[in-house]
């Protein structure tokens, strides 16, 4: 008989000095259908005039069950409406329209970033901001033009307008916080009155909700007092290891209840620094987002034309314009193939190891990944614990189960990769209806998936 805690044979050792922690899957508790909440990205689609793009082959979108993107013509011109005038705005709007039509081509949702069209997409060098000197004339002229263009081009269906991107970050809002709150209320009411069929989102904050962040308190107090509550709450998860998605979702729930605000869809519409965009970290992020029912879009770190290409670094591109998948795209493809009901999961105690699991048509799939951490040979392995194989699946609580393992390798955004490595099938013992697998990744970029039939 094998040990009840078995190694899958990828640099794991039962002789490790201790265990670093344990991620848990509970198969007898489900949390709703798998809907690929994390299969979206910021920008990432080539422009094609005002038409849907045809540059990237369709299967790269359909194979990952692409659910949406977020764009506003950023970086294509020097400035937008506020500093580049109508001509710069038109170029940015045409790009926005092309991206919208591309998203709809694949059935995806679209988030329109209003401040990118305005021209505040990374510093405005002293240009006009909405509400300067208490004057809303230019703001309303901009919103009028945007509404006219959206209606004229049927940029309406399945659209959310992000009223402003990262207003809590000076690069995008170089004015007082009070002026931002005034702008939020003004723009919200203007858009709600003049284009009510389009949803509104925000605050698209750079810093995730935290009970200690005064700007979150004042924003929520403001929207509660003025009845300017968005259709979806949004923020970003980039860099801040002290406030991971599990924690920020909990903190936001407390804040929302404190200000008597209604539940809404939550959108984390940018996540992951560039050095956190690899199979291991992305599997960790997807696990966190799925657990909290957060619709999420990966960040894009390209600039100029590259911002509008390569599906936010999921694809490489040859000199003659042909696209190919990297290792992370293959992991998104596997994630998209995780069908059925989501099983309840829990992150490891140190928050570095997490899992997403589904119970499909006779198969359980578990995607596992680690947030970048120090791979210390003196520290023990993590454990993946899957419970309820007897109560949920009807298996013998002390029997054996054949588990197939896949490894997702990565050689950078431009490293062409094939499908994940199939590490084969190994029999594992069950103990009290639970399966336990020692888990230590080959490196900080490698993710794994485990499957077994029932």
């Amino acid at each position: 008989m094998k040990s009840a805690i078995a190694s899958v044979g990828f640099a794991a050792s039962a002789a490790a000095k201790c265990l670093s922690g344990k991620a848990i899957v509970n198969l007898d508790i489900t949390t709703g259908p798998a809907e690929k909440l994390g299969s979206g990205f910021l920008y990432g689609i080539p422009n094609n005039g005002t038409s849907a793009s045809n540059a990237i082959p369709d299967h790269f979108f359909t194979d990952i069950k692409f659910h949406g993107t977020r764009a506003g013509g950023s970086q294509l011109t020097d400035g937008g409406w506020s500093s580049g005038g109508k001509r710069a705005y038109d170029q940015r709007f045409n790009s926005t329209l092309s991206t919208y039509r591309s998203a709809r081509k694949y059935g995806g949702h679209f988030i329109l970033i209003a401040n990118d069209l305005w021209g505040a997409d990374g510093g405005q060098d002293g240009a006009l901001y909405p509400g300067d000197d208490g004057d809303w004339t230019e703001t309303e002229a901009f919103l009028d033009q945007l509404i006219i263009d959206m209606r004229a081009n049927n940029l309406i269906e399945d659209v959310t307008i992000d009223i402003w991107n990262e207003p809590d970050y000076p690069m995008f809002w170089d004015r007082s916080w009070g002026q931002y709150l005034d702008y939020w209320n003004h723009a919200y009411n203007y858009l709600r009155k003049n284009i009510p069929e389009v949803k509104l989102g925000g605050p698209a904050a750079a810093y995730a909700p935290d009970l200690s962040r005064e700007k979150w308190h004042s924003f929520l107090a403001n929207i509660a007092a003025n009845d300017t509550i968005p259709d979806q709450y949004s923020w970003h998860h980039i860099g801040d290891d002290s406030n991971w998605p599990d924690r920020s979702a909990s903190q936001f729930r407390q804040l929302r209840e404190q200000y008597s605000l209604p539940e809404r869809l939550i959108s984390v519409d940018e996540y992951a620094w560039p050095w956190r965009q690899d199979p291991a970290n992305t599997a960790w992020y997807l696990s966190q987002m799925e657990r909290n029912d957060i619709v999420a879009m990966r960040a894009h770190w390209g600039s100029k034309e590259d911002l509008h290409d390569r599906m936010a670094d999921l694809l490489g591109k040859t000199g003659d314009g042909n696209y190919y998948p990297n290792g992370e795209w293959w992991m998104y493809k596997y994630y998209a193939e995780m069908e059925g009901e989501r099983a309840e999961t829990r992150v490891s105690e140190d928050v570095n190891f997490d899992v997403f699991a589904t119970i499909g048509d006779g198969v359980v799939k578990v995607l596992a990944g680690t947030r970048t951490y120090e791979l210390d040979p003196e520290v023990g392995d993590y454990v993946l614990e899957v419970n309820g194989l007897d109560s949920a699946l009807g298996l013998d609580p002390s029997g054996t189960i054949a588990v197939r393992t896949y490894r997702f390798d990565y050689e950078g955004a431009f490293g062409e990769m094939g499908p994940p490595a199939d590490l084969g099938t190994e029999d594992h013992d069950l103990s009290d209806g639970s399966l336990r697998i020692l888990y230590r990744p080959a490196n900080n970029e490698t993710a794994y998936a485990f499957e077994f039939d029932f």
Side-chain angles (χ1 to χ4, degrees):
M1 293 286 289
K2 299 183 185 297
S3 167
I5 300 181
S7 165
V8 297
F10 52 88
S13 170
K17 291 184 177 180
C18 63
L19 294 176
S20 294
K22 176 172 62 177
I24 296 173
V25 177
N26 291 319
L27 297 175
D28 47 6
I29 303 174
T30 57
T31 61
E35 295 179 334
K36 322 305 175 249
L37 298 180
S39 287
F41 43 81
L42 175 70
Y43 282 96
I45 302 175
N47 294 300
N48 185 26
T50 60
S51 301
S53 178
N54 55 11
I56 298 174
D58 290 346
H59 80 91
F60 284 117
F61 292 89
T62 58
D63 285 355
I64 66 167
K65 294 186 171 64
F66 166 80
H67 78 63
T69 190
R70 180 171 177 259
S74 178
Q75 300 188 32
L76 294 178
T77 58
D78 292 330
W81 176 279
S82 64
S83 58
K86 180 67 162 51
R87 181 176 180 181
Y89 162 85
D90 285 343
Q91 288 180 264
R92 290 188 174 210
F93 182 83
N94 288 344
S95 167
T96 302
L97 182 58
S98 176
T99 306
Y100 167 72
R101 288 173 170 165
S102 298
R104 297 305 300 146
K105 173 182 176 182
Y106 303 109
H109 179 68
F110 183 73
I111 300 176
L112 185 153
I113 310 174
N115 60 288
D116 284 359
L117 288 158
W118 176 269
D121 54 343
Q124 293 191 87
D125 297 326
L128 183 71
Y129 274 78
D132 277 354
D133 300 320
D135 186 351
W136 299 102
T137 305
E138 199 64 29
T139 304
E140 291 183 3
F142 165 72
L143 293 176
D144 282 340
Q145 188 64 58
L146 177 59
I147 292 166
I148 289 169
D149 290 336
M150 290 177 70
R151 290 199 185 285
N153 292 282
N154 294 315
L155 203 165
I156 300 292
E157 184 183 11
D158 213 356
V159 173
T160 298
I161 296 177
D162 245 354
I163 289 177
W164 202 268
N165 176 67
E166 297 191 352
D168 53 339
Y169 195 65
M171 178 180 288
F172 296 104
W173 183 264
D174 188 23
R175 293 295 187 270
S176 72
W177 187 247
Q179 184 171 326
Y180 164 70
L181 296 179
D182 288 343
Y183 164 70
W184 172 274
N185 294 335
H186 198 97
Y188 179 100
N189 288 322
Y190 203 88
L191 291 165
R192 192 66 93 197
K193 176 182 177 181
N194 292 293
I195 191 165
E197 62 270 47
V198 171
K199 294 179 179 179
L200 303 177
Y207 297 99
D210 190 297
L211 293 172
S212 67
R213 287 184 173 139
E214 180 54 37
K215 287 181 178 178
W216 269 101
H217 282 276
S218 59
F219 175 79
L220 296 177
N222 171 74
I223 65 174
N226 292 284
D227 194 23
T228 53
I229 304 164
D231 298 295
Q232 67 182 41
Y233 303 113
S234 61
W235 61 82
H236 300 163
H237 264 290
I238 298 171
D240 184 5
D241 285 349
S242 68
N243 203 6
W244 55 97
D246 271 353
R247 183 179 183 277
S248 68
S250 174
Q251 297 271 293
F252 180 72
R253 189 180 311 111
Q254 295 177 64
L255 287 164
R256 181 178 56 75
E257 291 172 354
Q258 178 178 341
Y259 294 100
S260 301
L261 290 164
E263 291 188 58
R264 293 280 194 269
L265 176 74
I266 294 175
S267 174
V268 170
D269 44 30
E270 292 185 34
Y271 66 89
W273 281 114
W275 55 87
R276 289 277 174 85
Q277 291 187 338
D278 53 53
N281 281 277
T282 296
W284 180 91
Y285 273 113
L286 293 173
S287 301
Q288 293 265 318
M289 303 303 180
E290 289 280 357
R291 183 182 302 113
N292 292 286
D293 294 319
I294 293 172
V295 176
M297 295 181 179
R298 64 188 270 117
H300 194 345
W301 300 99
S303 60
K304 301 297 183 182
E305 289 291 342
D306 191 51
L307 177 65
H308 302 256
D309 206 352
R310 299 190 302 103
M311 295 174 65
D313 282 330
L314 291 180
L315 305 178
K317 187 178 181 180
T318 64
D320 55 3
N322 292 318
Y323 293 90
Y324 57 85
N326 61 34
E328 201 173 3
W329 182 88
W330 284 104
M331 200 214 66
Y332 274 94
K333 182 177 185 295
Y334 184 89
Y335 166 66
E337 294 167 352
M338 297 177 72
E339 302 288 354
E341 292 290 309
R342 297 176 297 172
E344 180 188 74
T345 59
R346 298 179 193 171
V347 69
S348 64
E349 296 89 333
D350 65 1
V351 197
N352 284 331
F353 175 41
D354 213 344
V355 292
F356 172 59
T358 57
I359 308 169
D361 186 13
V363 61
V364 170
K365 294 184 177 183
V366 181
L367 179 63
T370 47
R371 182 171 64 170
T372 298
Y373 72 108
E374 187 172 352
L375 294 167
D376 185 347
E378 297 300 315
V379 176
D381 307 283
Y382 288 98
V383 168
L384 166 60
E385 179 176 291
V386 185
N387 299 317
L389 281 82
D390 53 347
S391 55
L393 308 182
L395 302 181
D396 185 338
S398 59
T400 61
I401 188 80
V403 179
R404 182 173 295 278
T405 302
Y406 295 95
R407 187 185 70 231
F408 298 90
D409 296 313
Y410 189 65
E411 295 181 357
F414 287 92
E416 184 171 5
M417 302 290 290
D422 184 346
L423 302 185
T425 300
E426 183 179 349
D427 288 334
H428 297 289
D429 290 331
L430 303 183
S431 176
D432 296 325
S434 295
L435 164 68
R436 296 176 181 87
I437 299 172
L438 289 176
Y439 186 97
R440 174 172 289 185
N443 55 56
N444 265 320
E445 297 176 334
T446 307
Y448 295 84
F450 307 95
E451 296 182 3
F452 56 86
D453 297 332
F454 64 91

